[in-house]
Amino acid sequence: MKTWTCFCITGLLLLGIIKPTFGQTKFALSLNVAPIYSHTDYHSTLPFPDQNTQSPTTVVTVSSHGLNYMLGLLARYSFSSKWSASTGIWATHGLSGTTHFEINGIAAQIPYHYSHPLTNAYKVPLLVNYQSSTNRLSPYFTIGTSLDFRSVSYVDLEGNGEEVPVKVGKALIITPLVGIGAIYHLKSHLLIVAQPTIQYNVQSHPTYSYYHSYQIGLQMQLMHQF
């Protein structure tokens, strides 16, 4: 009888230790939204003569910036109380922007607005997350990359309301992402994440003297743990 009692007590103690470890919620689904500022600038010398300046080559310098917003879904799997991995789908819609360019020293500017409902760029993020504590409010770090797919954009270039389809860039770009913010437990299964993020285009551009392209966003996640 004593042996059985000791066995039961030991079993209860083991359950008390194991339950918090294996009973942790591992899967979560989050709705993502973010305003995004994008910037691109580059310089290129093209082997084409310019009849206006009588130059044997054409030197092009471009600087553009725009305001976008992103909507998406992320699925997260937790390896431990602090480490997790996320993936999903993001759709980024352009709102407005301006492009400044110079061709052999002659400057021009094109403001443009996106209003077509299909002016979207799609991303598949592959992310690793780390929260430094298990407190209700904790710093939250994210590092990873996104697979950025090119899509057709409908842009009103002339400002007359007529939108034309435009394809720019490569069909697929892999872009690193870094985010630093905080995660807050609203309820036992409901969390919110606020994270400034930055993405920088690290692809090779051998035809340009320089090429810089980045996106800065403020990502908000409403997350539900299952």
Side-chain angles (χ1 to χ4, degrees):
M1 184 66 179
K2 290 182 179 180
T3 303
W4 177 252
T5 302
C6 290
F7 177 79
C8 290
I9 293 173
T10 303
L12 289 173
L13 290 173
L14 287 174
L15 285 175
I17 295 172
I18 294 172
K19 185 178 180 180
T21 302
F22 292 94
Q24 292 175 354
T25 303
K26 293 186 177 296
F27 291 97
L29 189 65
S30 64
L31 176 65
N32 298 50
V33 61
I36 297 175
Y37 170 80
S38 61
H39 177 85
T40 299
D41 63 270
Y42 58 84
H43 178 94
S44 181
T45 301
L46 305 176
F48 306 117
D50 186 350
Q51 295 180 356
N52 295 324
T53 62
Q54 301 301 315
S55 174
T57 60
T58 299
V59 179
V60 179
T61 302
V62 176
S63 176
S64 66
H65 58 86
L67 181 63
N68 320 303
Y69 70 88
M70 181 272 289
L71 290 173
L73 289 172
L74 276 184
R76 191 184 79 160
Y77 178 81
S78 297
F79 301 103
S80 68
S81 59
K82 295 184 177 181
W83 288 95
S84 62
S86 304
T87 188
I89 182 90
W90 292 339
T92 301
H93 185 83
L95 295 176
S96 63
T98 303
T99 297
H100 304 268
F101 62 90
E102 287 188 5
I103 299 178
N104 286 338
I106 301 175
Q109 176 177 305
I110 299 178
Y112 49 91
H113 298 274
Y114 299 102
S115 58
H116 198 283
L118 299 180
T119 308
N120 299 315
Y122 295 95
K123 300 172 177 280
V124 174
L126 303 171
L127 309 173
V128 175
N129 314 294
Y130 174 76
Q131 61 183 87
S132 59
S133 75
T134 56
N135 298 331
R136 189 169 188 178
L137 176 64
S138 170
Y140 194 73
F141 306 92
T142 296
I143 188 170
T145 188
S146 68
L147 308 179
D148 301 352
F149 298 92
R150 183 184 62 188
S151 62
V152 177
S153 296
Y154 296 84
V155 185
D156 180 6
L157 293 175
E158 302 296 332
N160 57 7
E162 182 180 352
E163 295 178 333
V164 296
V166 177
K167 287 185 178 182
V168 179
K170 299 179 180 180
L172 176 64
I173 298 176
I174 299 175
T175 311
L177 181 147
V178 175
I180 301 175
I183 185 169
Y184 180 74
H185 290 249
L186 294 173
K187 297 180 180 179
S188 59
H189 291 280
L190 194 62
L191 305 90
I192 188 169
V193 176
Q195 233 183 9
T197 62
I198 184 169
Q199 288 191 266
Y200 188 85
N201 188 325
V202 296
Q203 300 293 306
S204 175
H205 298 88
T207 60
Y208 297 94
S209 302
Y210 64 80
Y211 186 100
H212 306 289
S213 181
Y214 60 85
Q215 296 180 350
I216 298 175
L218 177 58
Q219 187 177 133
M220 304 294 293
Q221 297 183 39
L222 183 62
M223 185 182 303
H224 183 268
Q225 291 181 328
F226 296 95

